């Protein structure tokens, strides 16, 4: 694994993972085909792809709510993962042939740092493991060429099992361990928090004959939309402390998926940067609120 | 183990959905639960069951209900948590015509349904584990998803549509609920030999509910579900019971029998016939 001197995190992305985004794009890896849809988010991801190509990171790390683990925090730690990932919830939209190279050295370092910090951590070494669609969608939307190694990190269910405070404390420690591992292994890393914002959604498919019918797509509720805007505004203003302070309320009132800890993990790894984030796009998917947001840590060097 | 419930519904079972039961050497409770499942499978064989319909709380859906409809459903499953415990290759013969009937019947009652017919579909750990233990004759299978937005009453109604379809044809059928009881996992690493129900209060609640099932006091059990679910993080709020009610397995005079009970990574697990 090539390294680029002193390891550091060069950027972080709020990288939501609705499978609808891949479905709307029609990449060769995904079997179902569409007439498009959810362009505002897909165009936002184009900016991300461009930045990734410019930055040429050594690795992309993604924390996914759809790899939910009961006992501790797990990392993918097998050199190659490949197969067919069919989303059990939206199988008509997402049947994706994936192949990814894993940065095992970094994964093992994260595992070791997490354990040294008192967290329970485990290395997933089964080569037949089916990677979850959250991980795949975020990574595909960021880098569809899959030419950069990755590390997948599970979402430990502590935020759901205990309470928001304990869960987010765990994610904060995991972020710190991730940062140390990146520094020690000398990687230039990009992080991805695979989270939707507000997460109440429709309970029926609006148009089963045409899932990409954008005339049926809208925010779930005005209050949920206003919550998303409030959170995004704090990100844009670089008010990270304020953002962290209102996250528990956001989770409760908007059923926000950030409860799974991905955003907290990423912000913690980046040292809760008080820098303005760049908002690339916002859109709803079956009513949920999604934003593609960038924290460019190189800009402050 | 059980007498016929209706003309075509030969058995209704409740089994755990964790792969630990496939590792009897690790823990006495795993062995007892697994043995009870195998015994239940032998009973299904003796009863001439030709079709097993699974309702697993591990196959969740959010936009209505999904019905498995791939005729020959094969694959290789690795659990997202227990990936180093056991790999789970699977091979199901799905009763596609019946799946189509079930979906149409539910749709007629206002449910949003979808048939699922895709190569590589990730059958859940619970259904694979249950089938491996129960399906000893290569019986046909059906699978219905557990919609998280379908509450207890709604699930009773949905299962009622299934009951009608089971009765409308002549295939001897078993309904299998794949679900846990109390859901308080151990969130730390344990030695499997030390496994058990993680909380004494949960253990009491589980046994209290099982006792109600065994006495046929389903009405009383239903009245306690809210308290039980709130106290013990019960798997999907015990929605499996609603499914059993809907298919007619909780009718007056029928008593459940618990064949094995124990803990799997802290959660409550039981093998019960209704």
């Amino acid at each position: 694994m090539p390294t680029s001197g002193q390891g550091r995190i060069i950027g972080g992305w709020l990288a939501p993972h609705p499978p609808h985004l891949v479905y709307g794009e029609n990449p060769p890896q995904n079997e179902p085909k569409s007439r498009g849809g959810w362009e505002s988010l897909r165009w936002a991801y184009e900016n991300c792809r461009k930045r990734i190509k410019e930055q040429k990171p050594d690795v992309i790390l993604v924390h996914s709510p759809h790899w939910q683990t009961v006992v501790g925090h797990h990392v993918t730690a097998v050199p190659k993962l490949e197969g067919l990932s069919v989303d059990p919830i939206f199988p008509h939209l997402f049947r994706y042939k994936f192949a990814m190279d894993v940065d095992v050295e970094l994964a093992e370092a994260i595992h070791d740092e997490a354990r040294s910090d008192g967290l329970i951590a485990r290395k997933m070494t089964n080569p037949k493991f089916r990677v979850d669609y959250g991980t795949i969608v975020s990574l595909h939307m960021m880098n569809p060429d899959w030419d950069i190694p990755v590390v997948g990190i599970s979402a430990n269910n502590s935020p759901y099992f205990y309470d928001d405070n304990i869960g987010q404390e765990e994610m904060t420690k995991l972020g710190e361990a991730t940062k140390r591992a990146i520094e020690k292994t000398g990687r230039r890393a990009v992080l991805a928090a695979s989270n939707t914002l507000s997460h109440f959604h429709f309970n029926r498919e609006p148009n089963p004959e045409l899932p990409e019918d954008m005339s049926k797509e809208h925010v779930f509720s005005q209050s949920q939309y206003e919550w998303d805007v409030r959170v995004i505004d704090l990100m844009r203003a670089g008010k990270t402390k304020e953002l962290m302070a209102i996250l528990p309320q956001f989770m409760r009132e908007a059923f926000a998926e950030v409860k799974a800890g991905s955003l907290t993990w990423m912000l913690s790894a980046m040292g809760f940067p008080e820098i303005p984030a760049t908002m690339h796009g916002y859109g709803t998917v079956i009513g949920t609120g999604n934003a593609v947001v960038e924290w460019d840590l190189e800009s402050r060097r | 183990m059980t007498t016929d419930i209706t003309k075509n519904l030969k058995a209704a079972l409740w089994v755990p959905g964790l792969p630990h039961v496939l590792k009897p050497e690790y823990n006495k409770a795993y062995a007892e639960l697994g043995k009870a499942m195998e015994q239940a499978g032998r009973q299904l064989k003796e009863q001439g069951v030709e079709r097993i319909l699974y309702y697993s709380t591990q196959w969740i859906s959010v936009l209505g209900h999904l019905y498995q409809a791939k005729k020959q459903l094969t694959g290789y499953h690795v659990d997202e948590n227990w990936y180093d415990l056991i790999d789970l290759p699977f091979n199901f013969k799905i009763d596609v015509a019946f799946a189509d009937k079930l979906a149409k019947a539910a749709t007629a009652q206002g449910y949003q349904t979808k048939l699922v017919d895709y190569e590589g579909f990730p059958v859940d750990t619970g259904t694979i584990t249950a089938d491996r233990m129960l399906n000893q004759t290569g019986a046909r299978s059906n699978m219905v998803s557990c919609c998280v937005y379908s509450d207890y009453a709604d699930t009773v109604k949905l299962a009622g549509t299934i009951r009608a379809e089971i009765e409308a044809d002549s295939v001897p059928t078993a309904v299998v609920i794949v679900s846990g009881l109390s859901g308080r996992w151990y969130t730390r690493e344990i030695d499997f030999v030390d496994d058990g129900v993680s909380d004494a209060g949960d253990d009491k609640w589980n046994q209290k509910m099982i006792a109600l099932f065994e006495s046929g006091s389903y009405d009383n059990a239903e009245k306690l579900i809210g308290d039980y679910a709130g106290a013990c993080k019960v798997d999907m709020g015990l929605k499996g019971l609603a499914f059993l009610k809907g298919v007619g397995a909780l009718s007056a005079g029928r008593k459940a029998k618990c064949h094995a009970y124990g803990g799997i990574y802290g959660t409550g697990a039981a093998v019960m016939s209704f």
Side-chain angles (χ1 to χ4, degrees), chain A residues 63 67-73 154-160 170-171 260:
Chain A
H63 186 283
W67 181 13
Q68 196 170 105
T69 50
V70 172
V71 184
H73 309 270
S154 77
N156 174 253
N157 74 350
S158 53
Y160 299 93
E170 282 256 332
M171 300 307 167

Side-chain angles (χ1 to χ4, degrees), chain B residues 93-113:
Chain B
K93 283 186 296 186
I94 302 297
D95 189 337
V96 176
F98 193 60
D100 187 53
K101 285 181 186 173
L102 294 180
K104 283 180 175 153
T107 302
Q109 292 293 317
Y111 291 90
Q112 191 171 59
T113 65

Side-chain angles (χ1 to χ4, degrees), chain B residues 213-260:
Chain B
F213 302 155
E214 289 196 302
S215 65
S217 304
Y218 301 118
D219 290 345
N220 289 333
E222 282 185 318
K223 286 174 191 162
L224 292 174
I225 286 174
D227 291 340
Y228 176 43
C232 306
K233 298 179 182 291
V234 174
D235 189 3
M236 279 289 168
L238 208 69
K239 209 157 65 174
L241 197 71
F243 201 92
L244 288 176
K245 183 176 185 178
V247 297
L250 308 187
S251 53
R254 292 196 63 85
K255 294 179 180 178
K257 181 167 176 56
C258 181
H259 305 279

Side-chain angles (χ1 to χ4, degrees), chain B residues 146-158:
Chain B
C146 178
C147 178
V148 297
Y149 298 114
S150 187
D151 64 14
Y152 193 91
D154 194 59
T155 304
V156 172
K157 185 181 161 194
L158 175 88

Side-chain angles (χ1 to χ4, degrees), chain B residues 132-155:
Chain B
R132 189 178 284 196
M133 300 298 244
L134 297 172
N135 192 354
Q136 298 169 12
T137 60
R140 289 172 273 174
S141 304
N142 285 97
M143 304 171 195
V144 183
S145 72
C146 178
C147 178
V148 297
Y149 298 114
S150 187
D151 64 14
Y152 193 91
D154 194 59
T155 304

